[in-house]
Amino acid sequence: MSDLIPRTAPDRRSFLKYTGALGAAAAVTTTLSACSSGPESTNETGDGGQGGSSTLTAVIGYGNDGSWDPTQTASAFAMAGNEHIYEGLLGTDPITREPYAALATAVPGDLKATTWKFTLRPGAKWHDGKPVTADDVVFVFERILAPKTQTLAKGFFEGWLKEVRKTDATSVELILKFPFPDGAARLSLAKIMPKHVFSKPGAWDDATKGKTVGSGPYRMASHHPKSNTAFEAFDDYNGPRRAAFKKMNWLTIVDAAPRVAKISGSSAEAEISDNIPYANIEQLKKGGLTVEGGAGMNNLFLLFNTAHKPFDDLRVRQALHYAIDREKMIQAALKGHGKASTSFLNEGNPSYRPARTVYGYDLAKAKKLLKAAGVGELKINLMAVNVSWIVDCLPTIQDGWEKLGVDVTLDPQETTAVFTKLDQKKDFQIVAAASNPNQFGLDADLIMHYNYGPENIWMGYARWADNAVAKKLFRDMEQATREPDASKKRAMIQDYIDTVAEQAVLYPVVHNELMTAWDPEKITGVKAQPYPGINLLQAKWV
C-alpha cells in the first residue's frame, strides 16, 4: 500500500464537521461558551489614513462556524482567519505560493536535501505572552504524523516527511523520506500551535470550536458563529507580516444580496468582500469599488458512481462530458468569468498542459459513444450541491444531456445532505459539486492526491479504487511523487493526468474565477485570491 496518502481517511461526516469542506454549506454549527450572545460592532470603518486606529470591516461569503483547528480545517473562513493568527515555519505568498521565512528565520538553502534545519525567530511569542519553543513545533508535527490520529493535514505530509526532531530549545530538524522540494510550500499548512495550551485534555475540541492562540500578527478578539469573528493587532509580534490594522471585524454573510449590500452604496460598512456574484460586478465598479477575479482551481466537477451501471463504462462518462456546451455555460451562468476545463489542472497552474482527452462540445461524438456502449434509453438524476453558481450551471448540463436523448432530473440539495447520502453509501448516479484544492497549494502532486488515491474519500464515493486502471494510476502517482528530477516528475504527472481525463470518474467541467471587491480609497495592497477567503497581511490603509 502506498505511503503517499493516508492509510485511513476520516469519514465524510467527520470531514464535514471538522473541515467545513466545499465552502460555507458544509460547515457544522458550533458555539463557544465564552462568547457573548451578540456580535461586535460592525459600524466602525476605515480612518482615511490615520494609521489603522479604527476597525477594518470585511465581508466573507462563507460560514465561520467550521473547525478552526489548523490541522483539520478546510473551512474557507477559518483558513483565511488562521493565516492572520498562526504561522508555519514557512509561509507562502497568497498568490504565487512562493515560500518565505515566517516563524523560522530562513528557507532551507538546499530544498533537495533530506534534512531541513530551522531556527525559530528570536523573541517570537504566543498571544498569551509565552515564548515559542522547539517543543511547540515538535508537538504539532507529532500530531500530524501520529499513526492513530487522523487529521486533514496528515495527507499533505506523511507521504514525504519522516519525523521532526528538536535539536535545541529554538531549533528543529525535519527528516524527509526522500528529496521533496515541494514540501517547503506545504509547511505553511502546518501552523505551529502552543503545546502548553493545546496538549491539555479537550483542547483540540476547543480548537475546533474556535479557540486560537497563535504567534501571528493578529489575535482573535471574539468569535460568534453565524455572525462574525473579530481580530486585533498583536503588539508583541516581531515577524515579517506586521498588522496594518488595529482591529478587524470579519462578518459572515453567505447570502449574496446582503453581502453585496454591506460593501456597496453610500452607507457601506465594509472595506472588502470576497465571493462577489458575477451579476453585481458592474454595479460595484460603478460605485467606485475595485473588483478583481482570481482564476485558479475553483471548479464545477462531475462525480460518477461507477458501481451504478452504465456509469462503470468510461464511454458513457465521456459521452456525458462531450454533451455539455461549456462555452454556453460560461456565458450564461458565469458571465464570462470561467474557462472550459482542458485538464484536471486549471490553465494558470505551473504544471498545466492540455490533457490528451479534451471534452469539447460534440453531440455527434457523444451519441456514438453511447451507442458503442450499448446504451439506449437513459434516465439520470443529477444530484447537486445548492451553491448558487453551481445551480446556475445545471440548466446547461440538462440541455446538453436532453439533446443527447437522456431524460434528466436536476436534484440540487444542501451540501450537507448530498454528502451525508454519500457517507451512508446511498445509491446515486452523478453528483455535481464545487471544489478548490488551491486552498492548500498550487503543486500538482498535492492537488491530484487531494482528489485521487487508494484511500481517498472521493474515490470511495466513486466506488472506483479497486478498478485495475485506478490501481495502476495510484502506482504512477506514487512514483511521480518520489521522482527527484523536476522535469521527469512533471512529465510523469502529466501522463497520469491524461489517465484521469480519459477515465472522467471525478473531473472538472469548468474552472471559474472568484471575485473580490474592495474600496481603493480606504485600503491598498489587496490581491484577489483564486480560492475562497481574503488575505490582508500585506494590505494597509490608504
Side-chain angles (χ1 to χ4, degrees):
M1 183 178 289
S2 168
D3 63 0
L4 295 174
I5 31 191
R7 296 179 184 276
T8 58
D11 60 78
R12 178 71 196 187
R13 195 167 301 174
S14 296
F15 189 71
L16 285 170
K17 175 181 178 183
Y18 289 123
T19 69
L22 296 175
V28 173
T29 304
T30 58
T31 59
L32 285 178
S33 60
C35 290
S36 62
S37 59
E40 299 293 302
S41 169
T42 62
N43 296 319
E44 192 177 14
T45 58
D47 65 353
Q50 298 294 313
S53 63
S54 61
T55 301
L56 177 138
T57 301
V59 186
I60 310 298
Y62 304 90
N64 72 337
D65 55 353
S67 172
W68 284 74
D69 173 0
T71 70
Q72 288 282 26
T73 193
S75 159
F77 195 115
M79 287 190 71
N82 281 341
E83 284 298 315
H84 300 74
I85 294 169
Y86 292 101
E87 298 175 282
L89 290 170
L90 302 180
T92 59
D93 180 90
I95 307 302
T96 68
R97 308 312 270 268
E98 284 295 314
Y100 64 85
L103 195 51
T105 56
V107 177
D110 183 8
L111 292 179
K112 294 183 179 180
T114 54
T115 298
W116 294 347
K117 298 181 180 181
F118 294 97
T119 299
L120 299 180
R121 186 174 69 239
K125 293 181 180 180
W126 297 114
H127 294 162
D128 62 8
K130 295 186 178 181
V132 180
T133 71
D135 289 327
D136 299 314
V137 179
V138 173
F139 166 71
V140 168
F141 278 103
E142 284 183 345
R143 171 174 169 78
I144 291 172
L145 297 176
K148 295 183 179 180
T149 302
Q150 193 54 241
T151 63
L152 185 65
K154 183 189 291 288
F156 304 135
F157 290 95
E158 75 164 355
W160 56 274
L161 182 59
K162 182 178 180 181
E163 65 176 311
V164 177
R165 301 172 182 167
K166 171 184 174 180
T167 55
D168 60 41
T170 58
S171 300
V172 296
E173 287 183 344
L174 272 62
I175 312 301
L176 282 60
K177 296 179 180 179
F178 48 85
F180 193 66
D182 287 341
R186 295 193 194 183
L187 291 181
S188 67
L189 300 173
K191 302 303 185 191
I192 307 305
M193 304 170 73
K195 181 179 180 180
H196 68 273
V197 174
F198 291 102
S199 62
K200 294 179 179 179
W204 289 112
D205 286 338
D206 291 340
T208 295
K209 296 173 184 177
K211 182 181 179 66
T212 61
V213 181
S215 62
Y218 293 92
R219 56 178 292 274
M220 183 185 285
S222 65
H223 178 53
H224 307 273
K226 300 290 188 181
S227 173
N228 72 303
T229 300
F231 307 80
E232 61 185 25
F234 178 44
D235 292 338
D236 286 338
Y237 179 74
N238 66 347
R241 299 285 190 270
R242 295 187 65 84
F245 310 104
K246 186 176 180 181
K247 295 181 180 180
M248 298 192 296
N249 190 35
W250 291 17
L251 311 178
T252 170
I253 305 179
V254 177
D255 293 338
R259 184 169 66 252
V260 171
K262 281 288 184 183
I263 195 173
S264 61
S266 59
S267 60
E269 297 179 16
E271 286 79 30
I272 184 170
S273 176
D274 76 340
N275 199 17
I276 297 297
Y278 303 125
N280 295 105
I281 293 174
E282 292 307 315
Q283 165 203 342
L284 295 178
K285 285 183 175 180
K286 288 179 181 178
L289 298 180
T290 297
V291 185
E292 293 184 359
M297 272 297 298
N298 209 68
N299 67 89
L300 180 159
F301 66 83
L302 296 181
L303 170 70
F304 290 86
N305 179 359
T306 62
H308 189 121
K309 291 184 178 297
F311 308 112
D312 59 328
D313 191 322
L314 71 83
R315 293 170 294 185
V316 175
R317 301 192 296 267
Q318 289 180 343
L320 293 171
H321 269 283
Y322 280 119
I324 299 172
D325 188 342
R326 287 161 171 78
E327 294 305 321
K328 177 181 177 181
M329 178 184 290
I330 290 165
Q331 296 306 317
L334 305 181
K335 310 302 180 187
H337 295 279
K339 289 189 176 183
S341 300
T342 54
S343 167
F344 199 98
L345 302 176
N346 65 292
E347 292 184 15
N349 188 282
S351 297
Y352 167 83
R353 71 155 169 75
R356 193 166 53 228
T357 303
V358 174
Y359 295 101
Y361 182 49
D362 192 336
L363 272 178
K365 188 170 187 177
K367 290 178 179 179
K368 287 181 181 179
L369 285 165
L370 281 188
K371 183 177 181 180
V375 175
E377 293 185 3
L378 180 59
K379 294 184 178 182
I380 292 178
N381 179 279
L382 179 59
M383 187 164 59
V385 299
N386 65 347
V387 176
S388 59
W389 71 271
I390 294 289
V391 174
D392 290 343
C393 289
L394 297 180
T396 302
I397 297 176
Q398 181 178 33
D399 178 63
W401 289 357
E402 288 180 345
K403 288 177 179 176
L404 188 59
V406 177
D407 185 352
V408 184
T409 300
L410 300 180
D411 188 17
Q413 305 175 29
E414 291 287 341
T415 302
T416 48
V418 171
F419 286 98
T420 295
K421 291 175 182 177
L422 297 181
D423 277 343
Q424 295 173 347
K425 304 296 183 183
K426 297 285 183 69
D427 188 38
F428 75 97
Q429 295 176 300
I430 310 171
V431 166
S435 181
N436 193 335
N438 280 165
Q439 288 187 122
F440 308 106
L442 283 179
D443 78 83
D445 179 273
L446 180 153
I447 290 169
M448 300 310 297
H449 277 89
Y450 180 78
N451 291 279
Y452 281 85
E455 302 288 347
N456 186 281
I457 197 165
W458 302 106
M459 294 298 94
Y461 294 157
R463 280 81 152 172
W464 195 60
D466 291 331
N467 182 280
V469 176
K471 290 180 178 179
K472 182 180 185 303
L473 169 68
F474 303 151
R475 291 194 298 271
D476 291 344
M477 293 173 72
E478 178 176 348
Q479 291 174 1
T481 299
R482 293 178 177 273
E483 174 55 53
D485 183 272
S487 60
K488 290 182 180 178
K489 178 176 182 174
R490 180 169 175 169
M492 293 167 72
I493 290 174
Q494 294 296 352
D495 285 344
Y496 76 65
I497 286 178
D498 285 340
T499 300
V500 167
E502 180 185 41
Q503 294 295 314
V505 172
L506 167 65
Y507 204 69
V509 175
V510 290
H511 291 101
N512 65 309
E513 287 185 283
L514 293 177
M515 310 304 295
T516 302
W518 64 91
D519 188 340
E521 294 185 0
K522 293 181 178 178
I523 58 174
T524 186
V526 178
K527 295 180 181 178
Q529 295 183 168
Y531 50 94
I534 57 175
N535 187 304
L536 296 170
L537 294 178
Q538 293 174 291
K540 60 183 179 180
W541 294 118
V542 172

